[in-house]
Amino acid sequence: MSDELEQRLEAAFRRLPKPTREASTRARAGALAVLAPDRTRSRVEPAIAVAVVAFALGAGAAALAATGNLHVKLGSPAKHERAIPARLSVPPRTYGIAVVAGGRLWLATMNGLRIEGLPVSAAELSPRALYAVVGIGSSLVALAPGGRRAWVHPTNGHVLGAAWSSDGLKIAYLVAHPGGDELRMIEGDGTPDRLLARGVRPVRPSWRADSLAVAYVDGRGRAASFDLRTGSTHTFDTRRCGGRAREVIYARTAPTLAVYSARGVAVVERWTRPPRCRPIGASANRVAGGWLAGGQLVTGGLFGRMRVSGFAIGPGGSSVAVAVPRRTGGLAIGIVREPRTGRTPQPSWLVRLRARPTGVSISWR
């Protein structure tokens, strides 16, 4: 023990409240009683000694607390919620993640690309998060490591959504136009650009696993798929599976398409065969759909009672990134490992964003 610490302790003990004469008399009598010879001493002596020590420790602690030099808490220490980081980081064993919320972008990749709070209309990471495409004003901009612009393509309208093909060579994107939104495609290097469909709904497109077809929702609310090899379009009316299509998502490794509507989801394996329909409960907490590992389709009940503003399935298909509004304001992004239907998950929080929980989209590679 250092001299300085010893002097501080001595000064603290000198400031302790002095015991009253009555308390001193009682303590002296109790000590003499313990020391007095007795036949039953061997049995009661340990218990009395423990009581005396406990009393002394308690009295000393209370006295220190009275002087303001010691704070005493009884019982097991309270478990505090782990602080949510203020800066976005890349989840383990992945390449990058991008979150758009309230019209702003937060992005972090393993190759050093980082964006915090940039005003955008949409964002999407390439495979392995080597690049990112974002909608800025009336342009589609490709960002490279270090934040430099790889290319800028004028779109003559706000970009509503984008999807990068799994081979990394093509980008399907939606552009807002007064006469009807358009589905377009551009190569990964920024050229050329071509129109695929007019008058589409503002629903994020989805690439087939072989990168040779892209699904979207047409102006009548039907699921559609444009085949790049033949240049033909297949449509499918999902009204009998729960209403008009609100989202289309191809399976991770198979040419199977999930078509989500307000009250159900249609699973289309071939356009020449009737789909399999699965109902979605009216109270289901579903803000998006997707495919987990093993071909498991995400439906209602995945998040239990947890309110979710957006989510994305991880690259391996076994984890989910969720966006959860905070009661104190803002949005928290967390990772749920191996989610199970019917259980309220406990996310491992990545970041807390000062953003409105509206228009949330997550791209995770």
Side-chain angles (χ1 to χ4, degrees):
M1 181 183 298
S2 64
D3 294 339
E4 181 182 357
L5 180 57
E6 185 175 355
Q7 292 174 3
R8 292 175 61 186
L9 287 175
E10 289 178 356
F13 277 112
R14 283 196 299 270
R15 291 194 298 268
L16 291 179
K18 298 300 185 291
T20 63
R21 179 176 299 177
E22 181 182 355
S24 300
T25 303
R26 292 175 59 186
R28 187 182 300 109
L32 291 174
V34 173
L35 295 175
D38 195 342
R39 294 180 181 179
T40 60
R41 179 180 176 182
S42 59
R43 295 183 179 179
V44 302
E45 188 177 55
I48 294 176
V50 171
V52 170
V53 171
F55 175 79
L57 289 175
L64 282 173
T67 64
N69 292 291
L70 178 65
H71 298 280
V72 179
K73 292 184 179 180
L74 300 179
S76 58
K79 294 182 179 180
H80 298 283
E81 182 181 357
R82 179 172 172 263
I84 303 177
R87 198 176 192 193
L88 182 64
S89 60
V90 180
R93 297 183 294 277
T94 59
Y95 296 98
I97 188 169
V99 180
V100 176
R104 294 183 177 275
L105 169 65
W106 285 262
L107 180 150
T109 68
M110 290 296 293
N111 61 18
L113 182 58
R114 176 174 291 277
I115 297 174
E116 297 180 346
L118 176 69
V120 301
S121 58
E124 170 77 357
L125 290 172
S126 71
R128 296 180 177 267
L130 298 177
Y131 295 89
V133 288
V134 297
I136 301 178
S138 295
S139 298
L140 185 67
V141 181
L143 300 176
R148 69 177 178 85
R149 297 184 178 186
W151 49 263
V152 178
H153 177 73
T155 57
N156 299 320
H158 289 291
V159 177
L160 303 175
W164 212 304
S165 62
S166 58
D167 61 9
L169 301 178
K170 300 174 285 292
I171 304 165
Y173 67 99
L174 298 172
V175 181
H177 282 292
D181 299 339
E182 294 180 353
L183 173 68
R184 307 189 68 90
M185 185 186 73
I186 192 170
E187 301 294 329
D189 60 0
T191 56
D193 177 86
R194 59 182 290 197
L195 174 68
L196 299 184
R198 285 191 174 94
V200 302
R201 294 288 179 91
V203 177
R204 182 180 179 273
S206 176
W207 284 95
R208 200 167 65 190
D210 60 5
S211 300
L212 295 177
V214 59
Y216 61 98
V217 179
D218 69 9
R220 297 171 57 185
R222 301 177 300 178
S225 179
F226 185 89
D227 192 312
L228 297 181
R229 290 178 299 183
T230 63
S232 59
T233 300
H234 300 281
T235 59
F236 179 76
D237 196 339
T238 61
R239 286 180 295 181
R240 72 182 188 89
C241 288
R244 293 183 176 182
R246 293 186 173 184
E247 192 169 356
V248 286
I249 303 177
Y250 267 116
R252 305 172 62 83
T253 58
T256 304
L257 181 67
V259 183
Y260 283 87
S261 60
R263 300 181 303 278
V265 56
V267 180
V268 183
E269 295 180 349
R270 292 185 181 180
W271 293 103
T272 57
R273 294 182 181 179
R276 293 181 284 113
C277 297
R278 300 182 185 181
I280 297 178
S283 61
N285 186 350
R286 189 194 69 79
V287 294
W291 297 85
L292 295 171
Q296 180 183 354
L297 189 63
V298 174
T299 55
L302 181 65
F303 304 112
R305 297 181 179 179
M306 185 174 66
R307 181 187 173 192
V308 176
S309 296
F311 82 95
I313 299 175
S318 60
S319 300
V320 176
V322 295
V324 180
R326 305 291 294 177
R327 293 181 179 179
T328 56
L331 195 69
I333 309 299
I335 303 297
V336 178
R337 311 278 180 195
E338 299 180 357
R340 296 184 182 181
T341 300
R343 294 185 179 182
T344 301
Q346 300 297 324
S348 174
W349 299 114
L350 275 181
V351 67
R352 179 173 180 173
L353 305 177
R354 295 182 178 178
R356 300 190 308 273
T358 58
V360 179
S361 66
I362 303 176
S363 178
W364 187 12
R365 295 287 189 172

